[in-house]
Amino acid sequence: MTHQLLIPRRPDPNRLAAMHAFRKAHGWGHATCSLLAGDASFRTYYRLRDTGTGETCVLMDAPPPTEDVRPFVRIGRHLAGLGLSTPSIRAEDAEQGFLLLEDFGDDLYARLLGSGSRESDLYSLAMDVQTALHQAPAPDFLPAYDDTFLLTEVGYLPDWFCLHCATPVPDDARAEYDALWNTLFSIARAVPERIVLRDYHAENLMLLPGRQGLKACGLLDFQGAVRGPLTYDLMSLMEDARRDIDPGLVQSMQDYYLDCNPGLDREAFQASWSVMAAQRHAKVIGLFVRLWKRDGKPVYLPHLPRVWRLMEQACQHPLLGPLNAWLNRHVPHETRQRIPA
């Protein structure tokens, strides 16, 4: 879940009736209901408030077949079993795609950072959560973040950004692009494989007052978790598509994590980070265009110049030189900073 407010698709009357029946069946039929958040998926979140007691909970509306609440439930319980904070589940209807969740409140990392909270405190706590996650192997029930999966995601850049915002990529150039990535993925896998939450950033982390240690960091939007290189979520946190982060802070957080995990090879870690950064940024660039063109969600387009800057930064690693050259040939610099109308 992300608390970035979007305009959700208007539910049809049958969906609204089913939602109300679910609420009523679990004692929330007379609660007030207000839109809490939408996100880049088809999920929508509402805050329910009992007008008598003031108690609140969150209703997740994840309509099948485009959404499935079961991975959220299973992974959330796994993470809670590791001593981390995920929203407890009060009621579920997997067939219809409804969940009633614990309300974590409003102290979203993104909001706290925007209001002047100490960045190093929040990010070091998020790094501590990652260290805890990385102490255990990824559960076998998670899908592998394999080369096919990764290659599909980096394909969003030529398939969506190049097609709609630059110049279509010829077949031979696309084959070269894929081959470059297949070489890079082996570099990314030079670090241990662990659980990867895949959207680990300030829009999906919360500070939970009254909780101590790792439990003070609330986790959201983890239903897409996979097994993959442990650098991915660390990079996703510190190379945020939605906000600028001082490079000095990024370096200090890398050093902090490595100091907490002295068994890692620093050179291999940095190379893996750079490849995973380029992979994620390629995916996000294409995904933001897809959200605009296919799903009617242009709200992400203003972030494209930032993501391109992050992509160019990742490509400065010597091992990514061939990819950088490919981008310079097929995605001219003047097109990268252009926000589609």
Side-chain angles (χ1 to χ4, degrees), residues 27-47:
W28 292 87
H30 297 290
T32 62
C33 180
S34 57
L35 179 66
L36 179 62
D39 63 18
S41 72
F42 291 89
R43 295 182 300 273
T44 308
Y45 298 85
Y46 301 90
R47 174 170 283 150

mmCIF file of all heavy atoms in Angstrom, residues 27-47:
data_model
loop_
_atom_site.group_PDB
_atom_site.id
_atom_site.type_symbol
_atom_site.label_atom_id
_atom_site.label_comp_id
_atom_site.label_asym_id
_atom_site.label_seq_id
_atom_site.Cartn_x
_atom_site.Cartn_y
_atom_site.Cartn_z
ATOM 1 N N GLY A 27 -18.753 -6.274 11.674
ATOM 2 C CA GLY A 27 -19.013 -5.285 12.708
ATOM 3 C C GLY A 27 -18.661 -3.860 12.374
ATOM 4 O O GLY A 27 -18.638 -3.001 13.259
ATOM 5 N N TRP A 28 -18.440 -3.566 11.080
ATOM 6 C CA TRP A 28 -18.062 -2.213 10.679
ATOM 7 C C TRP A 28 -19.082 -1.612 9.715
ATOM 8 O O TRP A 28 -18.781 -0.653 9.006
ATOM 9 C CB TRP A 28 -16.681 -2.214 10.037
ATOM 10 C CG TRP A 28 -15.585 -2.527 11.013
ATOM 11 C CD1 TRP A 28 -15.133 -3.755 11.364
ATOM 12 C CD2 TRP A 28 -14.817 -1.580 11.769
ATOM 13 N NE1 TRP A 28 -14.122 -3.654 12.293
ATOM 14 C CE2 TRP A 28 -13.915 -2.323 12.556
ATOM 15 C CE3 TRP A 28 -14.804 -0.183 11.857
ATOM 16 C CZ2 TRP A 28 -13.006 -1.711 13.424
ATOM 17 C CZ3 TRP A 28 -13.911 0.420 12.705
ATOM 18 C CH2 TRP A 28 -13.019 -0.328 13.481
ATOM 19 N N GLY A 29 -20.278 -2.122 9.726
ATOM 20 C CA GLY A 29 -21.296 -1.648 8.793
ATOM 21 C C GLY A 29 -21.714 -0.212 8.995
ATOM 22 O O GLY A 29 -22.104 0.468 8.043
ATOM 23 N N HIS A 30 -21.671 0.277 10.225
ATOM 24 C CA HIS A 30 -22.110 1.649 10.521
ATOM 25 C C HIS A 30 -20.948 2.622 10.689
ATOM 26 O O HIS A 30 -21.156 3.788 11.046
ATOM 27 C CB HIS A 30 -22.982 1.657 11.782
ATOM 28 C CG HIS A 30 -24.247 0.863 11.637
ATOM 29 N ND1 HIS A 30 -25.281 1.274 10.823
ATOM 30 C CD2 HIS A 30 -24.624 -0.324 12.177
ATOM 31 C CE1 HIS A 30 -26.260 0.374 10.870
ATOM 32 N NE2 HIS A 30 -25.890 -0.603 11.692
ATOM 33 N N ALA A 31 -19.742 2.152 10.426
ATOM 34 C CA ALA A 31 -18.575 3.032 10.544
ATOM 35 C C ALA A 31 -18.536 4.030 9.394
ATOM 36 O O ALA A 31 -19.038 3.753 8.298
ATOM 37 C CB ALA A 31 -17.296 2.204 10.551
ATOM 38 N N THR A 32 -17.945 5.192 9.649
ATOM 39 C CA THR A 32 -17.705 6.128 8.556
ATOM 40 C C THR A 32 -16.595 5.561 7.675
ATOM 41 O O THR A 32 -15.714 4.837 8.145
ATOM 42 C CB THR A 32 -17.301 7.514 9.069
ATOM 43 O OG1 THR A 32 -16.075 7.408 9.803
ATOM 44 C CG2 THR A 32 -18.394 8.092 9.966
ATOM 45 N N CYS A 33 -16.632 5.906 6.408
ATOM 46 C CA CYS A 33 -15.680 5.364 5.438
ATOM 47 C C CYS A 33 -15.098 6.503 4.626
ATOM 48 O O CYS A 33 -15.835 7.255 3.985
ATOM 49 C CB CYS A 33 -16.388 4.356 4.532
ATOM 50 S SG CYS A 33 -15.336 3.594 3.274
ATOM 51 N N SER A 34 -13.777 6.658 4.665
ATOM 52 C CA SER A 34 -13.125 7.717 3.895
ATOM 53 C C SER A 34 -11.969 7.133 3.104
ATOM 54 O O SER A 34 -11.288 6.197 3.556
ATOM 55 C CB SER A 34 -12.615 8.827 4.821
ATOM 56 O OG SER A 34 -11.722 8.307 5.789
ATOM 57 N N LEU A 35 -11.758 7.669 1.915
ATOM 58 C CA LEU A 35 -10.672 7.208 1.068
ATOM 59 C C LEU A 35 -9.341 7.497 1.748
ATOM 60 O O LEU A 35 -9.063 8.631 2.134
ATOM 61 C CB LEU A 35 -10.734 7.897 -0.291
ATOM 62 C CG LEU A 35 -9.632 7.532 -1.288
ATOM 63 C CD1 LEU A 35 -9.755 6.075 -1.716
ATOM 64 C CD2 LEU A 35 -9.702 8.449 -2.519
ATOM 65 N N LEU A 36 -8.533 6.466 1.898
ATOM 66 C CA LEU A 36 -7.211 6.636 2.489
ATOM 67 C C LEU A 36 -6.149 6.746 1.421
ATOM 68 O O LEU A 36 -5.302 7.629 1.438
ATOM 69 C CB LEU A 36 -6.900 5.462 3.422
ATOM 70 C CG LEU A 36 -5.544 5.463 4.108
ATOM 71 C CD1 LEU A 36 -5.409 6.687 5.009
ATOM 72 C CD2 LEU A 36 -5.354 4.188 4.928
ATOM 73 N N ALA A 37 -6.176 5.835 0.472
ATOM 74 C CA ALA A 37 -5.147 5.844 -0.567
ATOM 75 C C ALA A 37 -5.545 4.959 -1.720
ATOM 76 O O ALA A 37 -6.315 4.010 -1.563
ATOM 77 C CB ALA A 37 -3.801 5.366 -0.003
ATOM 78 N N GLY A 38 -4.997 5.317 -2.880
ATOM 79 C CA GLY A 38 -4.970 4.419 -4.024
ATOM 80 C C GLY A 38 -3.517 4.210 -4.353
ATOM 81 O O GLY A 38 -2.643 4.846 -3.780
ATOM 82 N N ASP A 39 -3.208 3.296 -5.241
ATOM 83 C CA ASP A 39 -1.815 3.137 -5.622
ATOM 84 C C ASP A 39 -1.710 2.766 -7.083
ATOM 85 O O ASP A 39 -2.675 2.886 -7.843
ATOM 86 C CB ASP A 39 -1.075 2.150 -4.704
ATOM 87 C CG ASP A 39 -1.632 0.730 -4.755
ATOM 88 O OD1 ASP A 39 -2.350 0.401 -5.719
ATOM 89 O OD2 ASP A 39 -1.329 -0.048 -3.831
ATOM 90 N N ALA A 40 -0.521 2.341 -7.485
ATOM 91 C CA ALA A 40 -0.288 2.084 -8.901
ATOM 92 C C ALA A 40 -0.920 0.785 -9.381
ATOM 93 O O ALA A 40 -0.857 0.480 -10.560
ATOM 94 C CB ALA A 40 1.221 2.058 -9.175
ATOM 95 N N SER A 41 -1.523 0.038 -8.471
ATOM 96 C CA SER A 41 -2.226 -1.183 -8.838
ATOM 97 C C SER A 41 -3.725 -0.874 -8.921
ATOM 98 O O SER A 41 -4.138 0.280 -8.979
ATOM 99 C CB SER A 41 -1.964 -2.269 -7.792
ATOM 100 O OG SER A 41 -2.660 -1.961 -6.601
ATOM 101 N N PHE A 42 -4.529 -1.920 -8.886
ATOM 102 C CA PHE A 42 -5.974 -1.765 -8.871
ATOM 103 C C PHE A 42 -6.523 -1.780 -7.449
ATOM 104 O O PHE A 42 -7.737 -1.808 -7.259
ATOM 105 C CB PHE A 42 -6.632 -2.871 -9.707
ATOM 106 C CG PHE A 42 -6.365 -2.729 -11.180
ATOM 107 C CD1 PHE A 42 -5.248 -3.314 -11.756
ATOM 108 C CD2 PHE A 42 -7.226 -2.001 -11.984
ATOM 109 C CE1 PHE A 42 -4.989 -3.183 -13.113
ATOM 110 C CE2 PHE A 42 -6.971 -1.855 -13.346
ATOM 111 C CZ PHE A 42 -5.854 -2.459 -13.913
ATOM 112 N N ARG A 43 -5.638 -1.780 -6.442
ATOM 113 C CA ARG A 43 -6.084 -1.769 -5.054
ATOM 114 C C ARG A 43 -6.469 -0.362 -4.609
ATOM 115 O O ARG A 43 -5.876 0.624 -5.037
ATOM 116 C CB ARG A 43 -4.981 -2.300 -4.126
ATOM 117 C CG ARG A 43 -4.624 -3.744 -4.340
ATOM 118 C CD ARG A 43 -3.566 -4.192 -3.336
ATOM 119 N NE ARG A 43 -2.343 -3.414 -3.455
ATOM 120 C CZ ARG A 43 -1.340 -3.693 -4.278
ATOM 121 N NH1 ARG A 43 -1.429 -4.743 -5.091
ATOM 122 N NH2 ARG A 43 -0.256 -2.945 -4.316
ATOM 123 N N THR A 44 -7.448 -0.298 -3.703
ATOM 124 C CA THR A 44 -7.843 0.957 -3.076
ATOM 125 C C THR A 44 -8.003 0.708 -1.583
ATOM 126 O O THR A 44 -8.394 -0.384 -1.164
ATOM 127 C CB THR A 44 -9.161 1.488 -3.664
ATOM 128 O OG1 THR A 44 -9.063 1.544 -5.090
ATOM 129 C CG2 THR A 44 -9.472 2.890 -3.161
ATOM 130 N N TYR A 45 -7.678 1.724 -0.785
ATOM 131 C CA TYR A 45 -7.710 1.587 0.669
ATOM 132 C C TYR A 45 -8.640 2.647 1.262
ATOM 133 O O TYR A 45 -8.643 3.806 0.828
ATOM 134 C CB TYR A 45 -6.305 1.753 1.260
ATOM 135 C CG TYR A 45 -5.334 0.711 0.776
ATOM 136 C CD1 TYR A 45 -4.647 0.869 -0.429
ATOM 137 C CD2 TYR A 45 -5.103 -0.448 1.507
ATOM 138 C CE1 TYR A 45 -3.760 -0.088 -0.885
ATOM 139 C CE2 TYR A 45 -4.210 -1.411 1.060
ATOM 140 C CZ TYR A 45 -3.547 -1.228 -0.132
ATOM 141 O OH TYR A 45 -2.672 -2.176 -0.590
ATOM 142 N N TYR A 46 -9.393 2.232 2.275
ATOM 143 C CA TYR A 46 -10.312 3.126 2.966
ATOM 144 C C TYR A 46 -10.069 3.028 4.467
ATOM 145 O O TYR A 46 -9.746 1.956 4.986
ATOM 146 C CB TYR A 46 -11.767 2.746 2.674
ATOM 147 C CG TYR A 46 -12.130 2.773 1.207
ATOM 148 C CD1 TYR A 46 -11.977 1.638 0.423
ATOM 149 C CD2 TYR A 46 -12.639 3.934 0.618
ATOM 150 C CE1 TYR A 46 -12.305 1.653 -0.930
ATOM 151 C CE2 TYR A 46 -12.974 3.955 -0.729
ATOM 152 C CZ TYR A 46 -12.801 2.814 -1.501
ATOM 153 O OH TYR A 46 -13.126 2.829 -2.832
ATOM 154 N N ARG A 47 -10.258 4.145 5.158
ATOM 155 C CA ARG A 47 -10.205 4.126 6.623
ATOM 156 C C ARG A 47 -11.639 4.077 7.152
ATOM 157 O O ARG A 47 -12.472 4.922 6.789
ATOM 158 C CB ARG A 47 -9.478 5.354 7.155
ATOM 159 C CG ARG A 47 -9.510 5.470 8.685
ATOM 160 C CD ARG A 47 -8.565 6.556 9.169
ATOM 161 N NE ARG A 47 -7.174 6.105 9.129
ATOM 162 C CZ ARG A 47 -6.141 6.910 8.926
ATOM 163 N NH1 ARG A 47 -6.326 8.194 8.694
ATOM 164 N NH2 ARG A 47 -4.911 6.422 8.924
#
